[in-house]
């Protein structure tokens, strides 16, 4: 399942990407353009807080989830309930939360200079976004992610 999210859902977008979903984030775009993008490439499920846009999606035959809450935990729960999204306490790293690029294993030598030295010494495994080059590793933020997944 691929998704498309619109403005006001930046945080939800990052969460979905962390869980491995291909999420296109669009901001400042016309409704028609968004619906066209949702229909292209075999279809994306629209995720939005905009009731008007969701009504247009229904008319255009685009699947959608109308997000009702402004609270991230409620949003995540709604995505699980209504779209069957699976969240992982152990992130798959399959998508970059920043740019939606694919993330793969990276050699220690390849990330030298791109992460703090003490991290390089301490951490055995790294991943890197193939598009924007951002480097990821298991750190304390994954504890918080696991905690959040537990609450979902
Ligand atoms: Zn990236």
């Amino acid at each position: 399942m691929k998704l498309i999210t619109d403005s006001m859902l930046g945080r939800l977008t990052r969460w979905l990407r962390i869980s491995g979903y291909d999420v296109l984030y669009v901001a400042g775009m016309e409704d028609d353009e968004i619906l066209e993008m949702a229909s292209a490439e075999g279809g994306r499920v629209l995720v939005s807080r905009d009731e008007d846009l969701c009504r247009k999606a229904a008319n255009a035959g685009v699947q959608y989830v109308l997000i009702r809450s402004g609270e991230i935990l409620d949003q995540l729960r709604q995505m699980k309930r209504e779209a069957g999204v699976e969240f992982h306490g152990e992130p798959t790293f399959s998508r970059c939360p920043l740019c939606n690029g694919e993330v793969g294993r990276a050699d220690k030598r390849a990330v030298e200079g791109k992460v703090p030295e003490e991290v390089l010494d301490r951490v055995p495994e790294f991943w890197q976004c193939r598009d924007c080059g951002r480097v990821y590793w298991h750190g304390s933020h994954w504890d918080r992610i696991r905690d959040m997944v537990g609450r979902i």
Side-chain angles (χ1 to χ4, degrees):
M1 178 174 57
K2 291 179 175 184
L3 302 153
I4 184 166
T5 52
D6 74 346
S7 46
M8 300 195 293
L9 294 177
R11 200 164 168 213
L12 177 61
T13 300
R14 288 193 297 278
W15 270 97
L16 292 165
R17 287 173 177 165
I18 283 171
S19 289
Y21 289 90
D22 177 339
V23 189
L24 202 59
Y25 178 69
V26 292
M29 235 179 240
E30 296 293 329
D31 287 0
D32 290 349
E33 277 180 282
I34 295 174
L35 294 176
E36 235 168 74
M37 291 177 85
S39 307
E41 310 173 39
R44 287 176 183 269
V45 177
L46 172 70
V47 182
S48 176
R49 297 205 63 197
D50 183 338
E51 271 185 63
D52 267 355
L53 178 58
C54 286
R55 204 171 302 125
K56 288 180 194 169
N59 289 334
V62 170
Q63 276 190 287
Y64 67 91
V65 178
L66 173 59
I67 296 290
R68 286 176 289 269
S69 173
E71 295 295 322
I72 185 67
L73 185 57
D74 293 337
Q75 294 176 350
L76 295 167
R77 283 177 173 155
Q78 189 183 351
M79 288 306 294
K80 185 182 167 104
R81 207 169 49 236
E82 292 182 19
V85 162
E86 306 244 15
F87 295 99
H88 304 283
E90 184 61 27
T92 60
F93 286 103
S94 56
R95 288 278 159 180
C96 174
L98 295 183
C99 80
N100 199 40
E102 283 184 37
V103 174
R105 285 288 176 104
D107 217 56
K108 233 180 203 216
R109 251 169 302 155
V111 302
E112 224 181 299
K114 292 178 182 129
V115 301
E117 230 166 85
E118 58 94 14
V119 171
L120 199 67
D121 288 345
R122 181 170 51 83
V123 176
E125 286 177 313
F126 293 92
W127 291 261
Q128 189 168 26
C129 175
R130 306 214 190 283
D131 287 349
C132 74
R134 175 134 177 164
V135 179
Y136 296 97
W137 62 91
H138 281 115
S140 60
H141 55 298
W142 296 120
D143 294 339
R144 290 201 297 277
I145 287 172
R146 265 191 294 275
D147 176 59
M148 184 67 129
V149 168
R151 289 159 70 201
I152 297 168

